[in-house]
Amino acid sequence: VDGVLGVAAIDLTTGETLEYHARTESATASLIKVPLLVQLMRARRECAFGMDDMLTLQASDAVTGSGHLQEELAKGPVTLSVHDLIVRMIVDSDNTATNRLIALAGMDKVNATVQTLGLAHTRLQRVMMDSAAARSDRENVSTPSDIASLMAMIWRGEAAAPEDCREILAIMKRVHGAFRATITDDVEVASKTGEVGGVYTEGGIVLLKNRPFAFAVMTSLLSDAANPIPAVAAILYRHYERLGRGNLYGNEVH
């Protein structure tokens, strides 16, 4: 890879971690939407709002980039439930939905939650598509180690209430990222992707039988337009699939 590549993977059976430049801070792109979702789930439990609460967006709320809300708002106001906005934020990676949810959750509260979870290098510092903030280095950042740890906490039901963590996973299973495209269809994948100039990111959980694992891959300063994450996904999948064929000492017991 001609650029920066960081990888972290956590064996959810043993807790052992694989890391490669995993503590390098990088731009998250849309991967920051997962910490935001965790805070939204926590705020819902505190009765700050309900998932069925309806929010109306105006044309002035529209931002460019991924998602379809910007096109819908060009025709007039759009009213959606909090739950619908969350689905659009994660599955469609809709930036307009994301910015409305940042306003609902509160940027400071998102950052307080990630600190509580021990994610010391993860920060939500700007809304989506704020080019001026990005040019001044006010970027949304994290590390592969932080993101993989967050994914493991979601899988264990520790990032939010256990039922809310299950809902997060259900939504993330609808994302079609590089890991989903690389891994065989009989294995479930829950993930979130991100992409901005020179940057590809993805984090999630591969629900491999006998050897589920959490992962995060973050790349930046790429000189090639090709996304290197599928190659990383194939390596990690082969590794954990091989481990899953045997017991903890490598005996392929049948």
Side-chain angles (χ1 to χ4, degrees), residues 22-155:
R23 301 178 189 256
T24 300
E25 284 191 7
S26 300
T28 59
S30 289
L31 193 48
I32 199 66
K33 296 170 183 178
V34 178
L36 170 58
L37 176 53
V38 169
Q39 172 54 27
L40 287 164
M41 290 297 189
R42 287 176 162 230
R44 183 264 296 268
R45 287 287 161 187
E46 296 168 357
C47 299
F49 53 80
M51 286 296 173
D52 294 328
D53 288 358
M54 306 303 290
L55 301 176
T56 298
L57 289 81
Q58 307 292 337
S60 58
D61 294 313
V63 294
T64 58
S66 53
H68 304 290
L69 260 178
Q70 55 183 316
E71 301 161 10
E72 296 173 36
L73 287 168
K75 302 172 186 176
V78 175
T79 300
L80 294 168
S81 69
V82 172
H83 182 268
D84 287 341
L85 287 169
I86 284 173
V87 170
R88 289 191 183 222
M89 174 178 73
I90 299 299
V91 179
D92 300 334
S93 208
D94 194 293
N95 289 326
T96 300
T98 302
N99 285 356
R100 184 64 186 86
L101 291 170
I102 290 173
L104 180 65
M107 196 174 291
D108 290 344
K109 290 183 178 180
V110 174
N111 288 322
T113 290
V114 297
Q115 292 300 306
T116 298
L117 293 172
L119 309 177
H121 301 282
T122 301
R123 298 184 298 280
L124 173 63
Q125 301 185 114
R126 65 169 177 84
V127 296
M128 301 301 107
M129 309 312 292
D130 186 345
S131 299
R135 282 193 295 270
S136 65
D137 293 331
R138 187 155 50 87
E139 188 58 78
N140 299 323
V141 297
S142 188
T143 64
S145 179
D146 268 15
I147 294 296
S149 294
L150 176 61
M151 297 302 173
M153 284 186 274
I154 293 171
W155 185 80

